[in-house]
Amino acid sequence: MGDRTKNIAVLGLDERNLMLLREIARSEPYRFHALLTKEELMLGDVSLARLLDEAQARLGSFEFPVDAIVGYWDFPVSSMVPVLCTRSGLPGPSLESVVKCEHKYWSRLEQRKVTDSHPGFGIIDLDDPHPPPGLSFPMWVKPVKSFCSDLAFKVKDPDELAEAATEIRRGACRVGEAFDFLLSMLELPPEIAKIGGLACLAEEEVGGVQVTAEGYCADAEPRVYGVVDSLCYPGSSSFLRYQYPSQLPADVQERIAAISRNVIRQIGLSSAAFNIEYFWDPDQDKLNILEINPRLSQSHAPLFKFVDGAPNHLCMVKLALGEEPFMPHRQGDFAVAAKWFLRTFADAVVRSVPSEEDVERLRSTFPEAIVDVVADRGHRLSDLHGQDSYSFELADLYLAAQDEGELIRKYRRCLEMLPFSLAEIHDSDCSRS
């Protein structure tokens, strides 16, 4: 391809990630092109066959050669990338390796072959829910495929299990039927073919410090380039912030990297970025894999830019072009960075959100800050897309500093500068839909 401009099609390209991708393009001849919008890809019922056909048609309509196809969102984007790359003859991971990550039960079966760093697990019958053999309350139940912690419930007794099963049965079809279509494209092992994409997984409750290993695999050699801490609101499983670099002991981070390399090799994921979420129990010095994602975390990208000097999109793009990735290390302007989640824990109607002037005032005070307002004025929070099962996200805030104390002080000041007005809902119709 020489030095000519390389055209990269991005599934679900959005403005904030385009800004980060343009940071890479300052030193490389890259041009990024939207391939379907995020709304087309992730809102409403997910018809994977239709989305793939539409993406293929739009690729064919481009008046330039496409050199790479990438995506940084969860399903269906993460599963569309390998299909479209294969159809277009471009570098990319195999569909089977991606699905082995995305199907939570299949992923657990693969993990079990190379490590004991995972919770106990089993399949439950949604029509007659009981704990699987070897598991007891409390436990987590979730569809074998979902996203953004949607339809994941912690259950403490048979009544809560029954309620969760009802919710999962009601909501799992939105993604599960599309996932079944994806499974139909593969030759499945019997234990996966038997349960399909609409089954429900139960997992032993594990806890501790939550972290994420970010890495990539090129030429079947996985590498981990960073570990990010995930800190929750007190007494909650909802995230307060992602913080980088991790404050875990160095030896624990080394074990995380080693386990990550082993499971990625076992799954066979290559020519792809990945992130693996873990719990570390410091009392027992025990690591447990939560889940494996066959993509980078775009939520972490600004953190790597702040601290290391480049967003982790750099790895994604290099891999998609068939090139060996690299990541700078500690070459950024800050020593620590975080993505903060501004949340509320009660459903409400949004009366007002921060204005453009509010955001600009904040940016003039903290020039590095990135603000994404999630809530919409006049809308009910429970109607927002991609919320977890226990809280409602109002805004995301990226900040960086020279130490954690300064980072927290900046965050508290920003809270004062981002006004939201909410009208709580107290009627009988306040259940999550």
Side-chain angles (χ1 to χ4, degrees), residues 277-293:
E277 300 171 38
Y278 288 85
F279 267 128
W280 175 57
D281 182 342
D283 295 330
Q284 301 185 48
D285 193 21
K286 168 71 173 173
L287 285 163
N288 279 296
I289 295 172
L290 297 181
E291 65 180 29
I292 302 172
N293 298 301

Side-chain angles (χ1 to χ4, degrees), residues 32-190:
F32 300 98
H33 307 272
L35 180 58
L36 303 181
T37 66
K38 183 182 177 185
E39 290 72 24
E40 288 175 303
L41 288 158
M42 303 184 75
L43 295 183
D45 292 331
V46 179
S47 173
L48 194 56
R50 177 184 58 78
L51 289 173
L52 286 168
D53 288 345
E54 181 64 26
Q56 196 71 52
R58 295 195 194 182
L59 284 169
S61 71
F62 287 159
E63 297 179 352
F64 45 80
V66 173
D67 300 299
I69 301 170
V70 300
Y72 39 73
W73 301 113
D74 201 347
F75 185 84
V77 171
S78 49
S79 293
M80 292 175 66
V81 168
V83 176
L84 293 171
C85 286
T86 297
R87 290 180 180 180
S88 303
L90 296 172
S94 71
L95 178 60
E96 180 176 299
S97 66
V98 168
V99 174
K100 282 182 179 179
C101 297
E102 302 229 280
H103 192 293
K104 296 181 188 297
Y105 183 61
W106 198 353
S107 182
R108 289 298 190 206
L109 295 178
E110 293 298 313
Q111 294 165 34
R112 190 166 64 185
K113 293 175 182 178
V114 293
T115 183
D116 61 359
S117 296
H118 57 77
F121 63 94
I123 295 294
I124 66 169
D125 183 347
L126 287 173
D127 294 320
D128 185 23
H130 296 285
L135 265 66
S136 58
F137 297 108
M139 67 179 67
W140 282 88
V141 291
K142 61 192 78 172
V144 294
K145 184 58 204 164
S146 62
F147 49 66
C148 298
S149 300
D150 189 30
L151 298 176
F153 299 95
K154 180 181 176 180
V155 296
K156 301 175 184 176
D157 55 43
D159 289 341
E160 289 190 358
L161 176 58
E163 291 174 8
T166 299
E167 289 293 317
I168 292 169
R169 189 167 55 246
R170 182 183 299 139
C173 288
R174 177 175 172 263
V175 172
E177 290 179 355
F179 201 52
D180 265 340
F181 170 78
L182 197 68
L183 295 178
S184 73
M185 302 170 71
L186 299 171
E187 186 173 338
L188 302 173

Side-chain angles (χ1 to χ4, degrees), residues 305-324:
K305 171 68 171 64
F306 287 142
V307 175
D308 288 337
N312 53 350
H313 292 73
L314 179 62
C315 297
M316 174 187 72
V317 171
K318 289 289 185 182
L319 287 163
L321 291 167
E323 301 173 6
E324 178 68 28

Side-chain angles (χ1 to χ4, degrees), residues 5 25 89 92 104 110 189 198 209 226 236 262 305 338 380 390 401 408:
T5 297
K104 296 181 188 297
E110 293 298 313
L198 288 166
V209 180
S236 167
N262 287 340
K305 171 68 171 64
R380 183 169 171 165
Y390 297 104
I408 293 171

Side-chain angles (χ1 to χ4, degrees), residues 333-353:
D333 296 328
F334 300 92
V336 62
K339 175 183 180 179
W340 299 84
F341 296 88
L342 282 62
R343 300 182 186 271
T344 184
F345 291 82
D347 198 4
V349 173
V350 182
R351 286 178 170 167
S352 66
V353 300

